[in-house]
């Protein structure tokens, strides 16, 4: 029988009450293997190289349960007072956490009065200080199918009369975003960016500089030289880059069907085109409403009266952290200075963790410490994923000191 969720519950120490708790979160499921791993690496072959553990799922997010239990054990070994620590480690996060709402509803009475949520499934801007995630984008998507024929026909006889299903799909995508800029068009997919998040992006941009865009494995151009000898980002401004990936919508085509492989392609006008769409939405945009808008934009008034259907996938609303209390702000900064000798920094993340929004609704008085090890080049979901061993040790020490600082501990 598959296990959908692991729960651990460790009582408080030094006579502290067990009503108030710290809740750890992580997940154990992994992305598929993907292709493109370096010759000496592989998704299921652990390789330790230059202080990095390569393999699928160690950084996203297999380390979390070990880090959480190590934090508890380390505090207890030092005789430090700490609150009750409970942990939820799920196994379907990479599939959108479909089972989690039922488990959370069932377990909520057992979790106690959650004072702090320590989510260990996020990223870091660099490996030189503690990074706290302040927001997560939401996600809507699904499968777009465009059909114009019952079967394929010779392109020499039909092209010019029968519209290409791929061209119709392109037209439909243009309803969603500007093909020149990538800016998502419909206002339903946007929201004002809070001034505090803009200010945090300025600080993070000043720290990271060009690393905001240089961290990605850009393909080189054989005809280029100097700064433009590789594919280019949408912006070189680090602040705009941070805001683009954290507070602005972005559309991606992540899969396709109805397209034969190159070696099997003939001069045939295909009957249909199928595209898998992923639309990241800002943290404060409701996922359910965004999905309704997306479906209507794609299916209404189809070009050439083609048969256009959009099969919606899971809709996830993003998350924006509540105002940080003084005790947590002080504890976070003290932990970063103690471990790295640098102040902590805040950064939104472009990914989606549905659990955070669920917890925000379930425990409105809780504070959130969302952090993680997914820094530059760690490449979660892609080939050559790695866990930065030095950083995860430092992060574990930093989170332990923050847990010990929870009021009442």
């Amino acid at each position: 029988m598959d296990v959908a969720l692991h729960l651990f519950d460790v009582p408080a120490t030094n006579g502290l009450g067990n009503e108030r708790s710290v809740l750890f979160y992580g997940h154990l499921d992994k992305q598929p293997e993907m292709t493109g791993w370096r010759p000496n690496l592989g998704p299921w072959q652990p390789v330790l190289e230059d202080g990095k553990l390569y393999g699928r799922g160690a950084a996203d997010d297999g380390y979390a349960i070990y880090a959480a239990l190590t934090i508890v054990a380390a505090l207890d070994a030092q005789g430090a007072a700490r609150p009750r620590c409970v942990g939820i480690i799920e196994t379907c996060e990479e599939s959108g956490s479909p089972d989690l709402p039922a488990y959370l509803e069932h377990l909520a009475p057992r979790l106690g009065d959650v004072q702090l949520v320590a989510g260990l499934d996020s990223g870091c801007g660099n490996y030189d200080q503690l990074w706290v995630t302040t927001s997560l984008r939401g996600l809507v998507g699904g499968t777009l199918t465009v059909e114009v024929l019952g079967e394929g026909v010779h392109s020499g006889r039909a092209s010019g009369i029968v519209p290409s299903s791929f061209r119709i799909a392109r037209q439909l995508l243009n309803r969603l975003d500007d093909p020149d800029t990538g800016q998502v068009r419909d206002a339903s997919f946007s929201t004002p960016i809070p001034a505090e998040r803009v200010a945090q992006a300025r600080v993070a941009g000043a720290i990271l500089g060009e690393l905001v865009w240089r961290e990605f494995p850009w393909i080189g151009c054989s005809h280029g030289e100097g700064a433009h000898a590789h594919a280019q980002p949408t912006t070189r401004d680090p602040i705009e880059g941070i805001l683009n990936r954290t507070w602005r919508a972005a559309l991606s085509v992540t899969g396709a069907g109805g397209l034969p492989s190159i070696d099997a392609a003939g001069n045939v006008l295909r009957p249909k085109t199928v595209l898998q769409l992923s639309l990241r939405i800002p943290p404060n945009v409701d996922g359910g409403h965004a999905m309704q808008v997306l479906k209507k934009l794609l299916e209404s008034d189809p070009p050439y009266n083609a048969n256009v259907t959009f099969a919606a996938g899971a809709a996830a609303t993003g998350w924006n952290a509540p105002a940080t209390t003084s005790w947590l702000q002080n504890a976070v900064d003290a932990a970063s200075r103690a471990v790295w000798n640098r102040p902590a920094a805040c950064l939104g993340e472009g990914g989606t963790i549905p659990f955070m929004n669920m917890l925000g609704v379930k425990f409105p008085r809780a504070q959130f410490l969302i952090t993680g090890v997914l820094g530059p080049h760690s490449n979660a979901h892609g080939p050559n994923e790695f866990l930065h061993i030095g950083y995860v040790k430092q992060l574990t020490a930093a989170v332990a000191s923050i847990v010990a600082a929870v009021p009442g501990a």
Side-chain angles (χ1 to χ4, degrees):
M1 184 172 115
D2 292 334
V3 177
L5 184 140
H6 295 272
L7 173 72
F8 67 80
D9 188 344
V10 188
T13 60
N14 292 6
L16 298 177
N18 284 311
E19 296 78 16
R20 306 175 78 186
S21 61
V22 171
L23 175 61
F24 289 93
Y25 168 80
H27 67 88
L28 288 174
D29 57 322
K30 311 176 190 304
Q31 283 287 312
E33 297 92 335
M34 305 299 180
T35 59
W37 291 77
R38 282 174 17 209
N40 63 319
L41 302 177
W44 315 125
Q45 173 188 350
V47 174
L48 187 61
E49 180 182 291
D50 297 328
K52 304 177 182 70
L53 177 62
Y54 287 87
R56 170 60 79 234
D60 182 27
D61 185 39
Y63 88 96
I65 186 170
Y66 300 101
L69 294 175
T70 299
I71 287 166
V72 176
L75 290 173
D76 289 356
Q78 297 178 52
R82 60 157 179 79
R84 177 187 173 204
C85 293
V86 294
I88 286 180
I89 309 296
E90 64 164 321
T91 61
C92 60
E93 191 273 346
E94 299 292 10
S95 301
S97 301
D99 299 328
L100 197 55
Y103 279 103
L104 185 58
E105 188 67 28
H106 175 69
L107 293 173
R110 297 175 57 183
L111 301 179
D113 182 8
V114 177
Q115 301 296 297
L116 176 68
V117 175
L120 304 177
D121 182 31
S122 193
C124 53
N126 57 29
Y127 301 109
D128 302 321
Q129 59 208 112
L130 178 60
W131 289 85
V132 177
T133 298
T134 54
S135 63
L136 296 158
R137 282 190 295 187
L139 177 64
V140 293
T143 305
L144 172 67
T145 302
V146 179
E147 298 177 288
V148 293
L149 296 168
E151 59 186 13
V153 295
H154 195 293
S155 63
R157 184 173 182 84
S159 60
I161 297 177
V162 177
S164 164
S165 63
F166 194 90
R167 180 164 67 86
I168 295 173
R170 283 167 44 202
Q171 289 179 272
L172 296 173
L173 294 184
N174 288 349
R175 295 177 179 182
L176 302 181
D177 69 356
D178 185 317
D180 293 323
T181 66
Q183 182 175 350
V184 174
R185 299 180 187 274
D186 196 284
S188 299
F189 304 125
S190 65
T191 184
I193 305 176
E196 181 184 13
R197 301 299 179 233
V198 175
Q200 290 168 345
R202 290 196 182 102
V203 173
I207 294 172
L208 299 176
E210 291 188 347
L211 185 60
V212 169
W213 60 269
R214 284 193 180 276
E215 69 164 288
F216 302 106
W218 302 97
I219 194 72
C221 299
S222 59
H223 60 275
E225 295 182 1
H228 295 281
H230 51 72
Q232 295 297 296
T234 58
T235 176
R236 286 170 170 256
D237 183 323
I239 299 171
E240 286 303 300
I242 290 171
L243 294 176
N244 279 354
R245 79 176 185 190
T246 59
W247 278 90
R248 292 176 182 138
L251 175 68
S252 302
V253 177
T254 59
L259 300 169
S261 61
I262 298 297
D263 59 356
N267 290 317
V268 175
L269 204 61
R270 297 174 299 101
K272 67 179 180 180
T273 294
V274 183
L275 301 177
Q276 187 69 24
L277 306 183
S278 171
L279 179 62
R280 298 284 179 178
I281 54 176
N284 290 340
V285 171
D286 180 76
H289 176 68
M291 185 69 85
Q292 293 176 4
V293 174
L294 179 61
K295 184 174 178 67
K296 183 176 180 181
L297 284 172
L298 292 171
E299 291 185 344
S300 63
D301 192 21
Y304 302 101
N305 202 32
N307 184 20
V308 174
T309 57
F310 178 71
T317 301
W319 171 80
N320 188 28
T324 303
T325 59
S326 59
W327 78 261
L328 180 57
Q329 185 61 57
N330 293 337
V332 164
D333 200 49
S336 187
R337 292 183 186 278
V339 175
W340 290 276
N341 199 30
R342 290 191 179 187
C346 296
L347 192 65
E349 284 291 336
T352 306
I353 308 176
F355 187 59
M356 291 305 110
N357 185 60
M358 297 177 200
L359 277 182
V361 173
K362 185 64 68 175
F363 302 107
R365 294 188 299 170
Q367 287 286 285
F368 286 78
L369 174 67
I370 310 304
T371 187
V373 298
L374 298 175
H377 309 294
S378 57
N379 215 26
H381 293 207
N384 308 321
E385 177 184 347
F386 67 73
L387 176 66
H388 194 296
I389 299 298
Y391 189 76
V392 73
K393 290 180 178 180
Q394 292 172 307
L395 181 70
T396 302
V399 176
S401 71
I402 296 169
V403 170
V406 173

